[in-house]
Amino acid sequence: MTSHVHIFAAFPNRCKATAGLVLLAAGALGCEGEPPSAPAVPESPAPAVAAAAAALTFTQISSGAYHTCGLVGDGKAYCWGMNRDGQLGDGTRTDRPQPRAVSGTLRFTQISAGTSHTCGITADGAGWCWGLNSRGQLGNARISPRLTPDRVKGTRVFRQISAGFWHTCATTQNDVPFCWGGNVWGEIGDGTNTDREVPVRVLGSLKVRRVSASGGHTCVVTTADRAWCWGYGGNGALGNGQLDHRNVPVAVSGGHAFRLIVAGDASTCALTPESVAWCWGYNQDGPVGDGSTTNRLVPVALSGNLRWKQAIAGYHSCGITSANQAYCWGPNTGGSLGDGTLMRRLTPTAVSGGLAFSGVSPGDGHTCAITAGGRVYCWGGNAFGQLGTGGSAPDDCSGIPCALKPQAVVGPA
C-alpha cells in the first residue's frame, strides 16, 4: 500500500493492525505478501435485496484493516469487507459489501478484527479465531488459514482478546496475559523472537485488565492502572523514551495512571481515570494528535480540553468524547476522518453529521462507529465493502469508492 511507505521504511512488511474493540455500553490487503495491482471490487447485491434486509442492532463493533465485524444482541457475529484470507469467517474468500453471519452456531461475548484475521471469545471463555494463519496468529497449533472459526489451543478461560497484525493476545479471567503468532519484534512478550503457534504467557507477573495487540507492538493496562508495552519500538510506540525493540514488557514513561489503552499501527493512546487522553509513537501524519508531526517517545496530552470515553490509536486515530461526539485525527486516506474532506488533521477534528456515538473503531482507511441504539455508521475507503453499505459509496477518492461522511450500515446478506 503506497500510503504506508513512510511507515514501511521504518517497519518493513507491515500493514494496519486492529484498532480495538468498541463496546456499545462502553489487515488485510496482502500484508503477508504484495498488494494486488488493483483492488477487487466487492460484489454488490441487487438493490431490492439490500433494501429488504432490516439493519442489525449491534452491541459491539471492531474494525480491522479492510474488514469490520460486530456482535448483535444474542452474541451472533457478523462481518463485512475484505475476505481474501477468510477473515469474515463465512467459509468463503469472497469480499462482502454488507454484513454476513460468521459460519456456525457460536455466540460470542467479544470480537476483535485484526489485519487479516479475526478472533472472538465465547461465553465459556474459549478463544476462537479465523482467517490468515501464516505466523500462528490463530493459536490453533497450525499455520494454515481457516475460513470458519477454529478454537484456540488449550483450556484457558479468557475474558478479553485482541487480534493484531501477525499476532493475537488475550487476558484470562485471572488477569494473566497470553500472546501467540508472529514475534519478529518481540510482540509476544515471552523474552524471545520466536513465532508461537499456541498461547504463551507474557513474561513477568503483570496482572492485566486489558491487552491491545497491534502491528508490531503490544500494550496492556494493569489492574493497578499502569501501562506496559513491548515489541516494535522504532517510532516510540512503546512510550518508554527509547527507540529499541523489547521482547519483554517495559513500563510506559511518566507514571500516569491509565484505565484504557489501545496500541495502534505504530502509535498508542491511553486514557486516565479522569478521561484525559495521552498518545505517543509515530506521528509524521498526526495520529498522536498533539498538533505536531514529531514522533513522540513518551506520552503527550491530546490537543484540546475535551474529556474522552475512548481514544483509539491507529494509522489514523479516533475518539469519543464524554458528550458522545466522534472526533478523528491523523492521515485522512479515503476520507477516514469523516469530516467531509481528505485533509490531514494534526488535532482532533469532529466527524461530520452530529451523530451521537457510544464507540468508534478506526481501521486502515476506514472508520466505523456505533450509536447508543446499536446502529453502525462507517466512512472512508470502500474498495472491499468495508463500510457495509451494500457496495454503494457516495464519493470517489482517486478512482476508489469512498464516503467522506458517515454512512449507515445496511442489513445482512
Side-chain angles (χ1 to χ4, degrees):
M1 298 179 298
T2 56
S3 61
H4 281 82
V5 169
H6 53 282
I7 299 180
F8 284 161
F11 196 165
N13 299 323
R14 286 192 47 231
C15 283
K16 175 70 179 67
T18 182
L21 167 72
V22 172
L23 297 177
L24 172 59
L29 186 67
C31 293
E32 299 292 349
E34 292 299 318
S37 56
V41 177
E43 58 184 12
S44 298
V49 174
L56 296 165
T57 299
F58 287 93
T59 59
Q60 298 177 22
I61 57 167
S62 180
S63 295
Y66 298 99
H67 76 292
T68 309
C69 294
L71 301 182
V72 297
D74 65 353
K76 189 171 183 59
Y78 289 82
C79 297
W80 57 93
M82 178 181 270
N83 197 29
R84 73 177 52 184
D85 295 304
Q87 55 264 53
L88 303 190
D90 67 347
T92 77
R93 295 180 184 270
T94 302
D95 296 350
R96 304 293 181 181
Q98 65 192 96
R100 187 174 176 90
V102 171
S103 293
T105 60
L106 292 172
R107 296 296 184 266
F108 297 95
T109 59
Q110 189 228 319
I111 195 167
S112 178
T115 299
S116 298
H117 72 292
T118 306
C119 294
I121 294 177
T122 53
D124 61 356
W128 295 77
C129 297
W130 55 94
L132 192 67
N133 196 30
S134 59
R135 304 293 289 275
Q137 55 264 54
L138 303 190
N140 58 2
R142 305 181 182 96
I143 56 171
S144 56
R146 288 290 181 266
L147 306 186
T148 59
D150 203 22
R151 183 162 181 165
V152 174
K153 192 77 171 179
T155 59
R156 296 176 188 88
V157 179
F158 296 115
R159 61 171 174 77
Q160 186 245 327
I161 197 166
S162 179
F165 175 35
W166 271 332
H167 76 296
T168 306
C169 293
T171 59
T172 69
Q173 290 189 345
N174 294 323
D175 303 323
V176 177
F178 285 80
C179 295
W180 56 93
N183 198 24
V184 65
W185 307 108
E187 54 264 51
I188 300 302
D190 66 345
T192 78
N193 293 84
T194 302
D195 291 356
R196 304 295 185 179
E197 297 172 10
V198 298
V200 294
R201 182 170 179 166
V202 175
L203 280 186
S205 56
L206 294 176
K207 288 291 188 178
V208 171
R209 180 187 308 122
R210 178 184 173 87
V211 63
S212 181
S214 184
H217 72 292
T218 306
C219 293
V220 298
V221 165
T222 68
T223 55
D225 292 339
R226 298 300 174 183
W228 295 71
C229 297
W230 58 92
Y232 183 83
N235 295 300
L238 305 188
N240 65 337
Q242 306 295 320
L243 291 171
D244 54 338
H245 317 314
R246 299 298 183 95
N247 57 19
V248 296
V250 293
V252 172
S253 297
H256 305 287
F258 292 119
R259 62 178 174 84
L260 174 69
I261 196 166
V262 178
D265 190 52
S267 57
T268 307
C269 288
L271 288 183
T272 70
E274 297 77 30
S275 300
V276 176
W278 296 75
C279 299
W280 57 91
Y282 175 82
N283 196 34
Q284 293 178 36
D285 287 309
V288 169
D290 68 340
S292 80
T293 55
T294 302
N295 291 349
R296 300 299 186 180
L297 309 189
V298 297
V300 295
L302 196 60
S303 289
N305 297 313
L306 296 169
R307 290 295 180 264
W308 300 90
K309 291 183 177 180
Q310 286 184 310
I312 310 296
Y315 179 63
H316 65 283
S317 302
C318 295
I320 300 294
T321 68
S322 57
N324 298 318
Q325 299 302 300
Y327 285 74
C328 294
W329 56 96
N332 201 5
T333 305
S336 55
L337 302 190
D339 66 346
T341 78
L342 292 172
M343 294 177 58
R344 179 182 71 175
R345 303 294 185 177
L346 303 184
T347 60
T349 301
V351 172
S352 296
L355 291 166
F357 292 113
S358 57
V360 65
S361 185
D364 189 313
H366 81 292
T367 305
C368 292
I370 188 171
T371 70
R375 290 301 307 275
V376 173
Y377 292 79
C378 299
W379 55 91
N382 195 39
F384 307 100
Q386 60 265 45
L387 301 189
T389 56
S392 62
D395 302 303
D396 183 278
C397 297
S398 300
I400 297 175
C402 67
L404 303 182
K405 298 178 181 181
Q407 306 295 312
V409 171
V410 300

